[in-house]
Amino acid sequence: MSKLWKIILYTGLALIIVGAFVWAPLEPKILKEYTRIFYFHVPVAWICVLFFLIAAYYSFQFLRTKDLLYDAYAKISNELGILFAILATVTGSIWAKVTWGSFWNWDPRETSIFILLLIYGAYFSLRSAVEQEDRRARLAAVYSLLAFVTVPFFVFVVPRIYFSLHPDPVINTQGKIHLELRQRVVFFSSLIFHTVLYLWLFQMRKTQVKLQMILRLYKENKMLEE
Amino acid sequence: MNPEYVVMIVNLVIWTGIFLYLWRTDKAVKKLKQEIEDLHLSEKLD
């Protein structure tokens, strides 16, 4: 990512923080002061789903090509996905504490993110349980694809089937967005800039993993020559 | 001072810290990439 984009990202997210605290109006009935978490909680959850989707894509690419680089990309994507899922859980718990009175209520939304964390946690257990590299990559890729099948179910379906205290999603069941103009500006800017942050993080980790692989192959080749 | 502004400033400081850390890491990764490209390791392995 170029220097200009980094500066735009920094300024953009800083402005979103200021906008969320000073500029955007608060929701007056239920959320009040805690409306602000919304501008960070939803984008973080969105990025988590995006990382899991990209992990599924690279897992599929690995199964198609058997290139271990794709397996490494799927792994880092799942790592970052879990990190953002934890951030979404923590911000959600803070929100739950101030609106529902307790950090954890086993609400359908909380239960579904908890199960997702377990599913993706198991991905790393699986990886560490298999020593042979090819076999590990193959099993992890299949698991990652199967794990992603559950994501839409847990994120979009389960919380709509059962009664949930969780507020309506941004675009609710009537297909409407109940946000004021300034709230919309801060929220959608936050979504865009968090996505840019996602692109930067992922690109950086991809380069890092590629370099690690080149160095490892170089060392192995050198050892063979000796 | 209004507590809201205190929280906002704390948020801004945390974001600045994260951003500077990422910037430095990105710089280190790019430097490493350049060093590897200078050694022509990736071509040797292709």
Side-chain angles (χ1 to χ4, degrees):
Chain A
M1 190 187 269
S2 71
K3 213 172 183 174
L4 179 70
W5 266 109
K6 285 175 203 161
I7 292 166
I8 291 173
L9 174 67
Y10 175 75
T11 319
L13 273 176
L15 283 174
I16 286 160
I17 293 171
V18 175
F21 278 89
V22 180
W23 191 62
L26 303 174
E27 193 280 316
K29 286 176 197 160
I30 303 163
L31 299 175
K32 295 170 194 164
E33 295 292 329
Y34 311 109
T35 313
R36 296 174 181 113
I37 297 179
F38 164 74
Y39 302 114
F40 306 97
H41 173 68
V42 181
V44 159
W46 147 247
I47 290 186
C48 144
V49 174
L50 201 62
F51 271 122
F52 290 149
L53 170 72
I54 297 298
Y57 166 75
Y58 280 119
S59 299
F60 173 74
Q61 286 289 49
F62 168 76
L63 290 174
R64 206 172 57 86
T65 61
K66 304 283 176 239
D67 185 344
L68 282 172
L69 198 59
Y70 289 129
D71 172 57
Y73 290 165
K75 185 185 159 224
I76 57 170
S77 205
N78 276 332
E79 276 171 5
L80 289 165
I82 280 224
L83 173 73
F84 278 85
I86 291 169
L87 283 175
T89 311
V90 170
T91 50
S93 285
I94 295 169
W95 209 358
K97 173 69 182 166
V98 293
T99 53
W100 307 337
S102 159
F103 282 110
W104 201 262
N105 308 277
W106 294 108
D107 181 82
R109 189 69 74 164
E110 288 174 331
T111 311
S112 54
I113 192 102
F114 177 70
I115 296 172
L116 266 188
L117 281 171
L118 288 181
I119 288 173
Y120 278 92
Y123 170 84
F124 294 99
S125 303
L126 176 70
R127 288 194 74 94
S128 56
V130 184
E131 275 186 29
Q132 202 192 338
E133 202 172 24
D134 288 344
R135 195 160 169 257
R136 180 176 59 212
R138 211 167 51 243
L139 283 171
V142 173
Y143 185 88
S144 182
L145 275 173
L146 288 175
F148 185 72
V149 173
T150 67
V151 173
F153 181 71
F154 283 119
V155 175
F156 303 108
V157 180
V158 171
R160 282 177 174 82
I161 293 176
Y162 299 101
F163 171 74
S164 170
L165 288 168
H166 194 276
D168 255 354
V170 181
I171 299 169
N172 59 29
T173 39
Q174 289 93 47
K176 288 180 182 164
I177 302 173
H178 291 304
L179 290 174
E180 286 185 29
L181 179 69
R182 281 192 276 181
Q183 287 175 328
R184 279 184 201 208
V185 171
V186 176
F187 173 70
F188 286 108
S189 314
S190 182
L191 265 188
I192 293 167
F193 281 103
H194 274 86
T195 310
V196 176
L197 177 68
Y198 151 83
L199 290 172
W200 185 24
L201 277 175
F202 192 48
Q203 188 199 35
M204 204 190 315
R205 282 291 281 135
K206 266 171 81 176
T207 314
Q208 201 184 355
V209 158
K210 205 171 176 179
L211 295 178
Q212 277 173 344
M213 226 166 209
I214 290 171
L215 281 175
R216 207 191 73 188
L217 286 172
Y218 176 70
K219 278 180 192 166
E220 282 173 6
N221 276 10
K222 212 172 174 187
M223 277 170 73
L224 281 174
E225 279 170 17
E226 282 168 8
Chain B
M1 199 184 193
N2 191 336
E4 284 172 22
Y5 291 123
V6 177
V7 179
M8 186 185 79
I9 291 165
V10 170
N11 266 288
L12 283 170
V13 170
I14 292 171
W15 165 233
T16 308
I18 293 171
F19 180 80
L20 288 175
Y21 172 72
L22 289 175
W23 185 291
R24 280 188 60 186
T25 311
D26 191 36
K27 222 171 157 182
V29 170
K30 275 185 180 158
K31 197 178 158 200
L32 192 64
K33 189 181 173 192
Q34 193 56 49
E35 280 174 21
I36 287 179
E37 275 171 5
D38 290 345
L39 291 169
H40 303 289
L41 286 188
S42 41
E43 283 95 337
K44 277 180 198 171
L45 296 166
D46 278 339

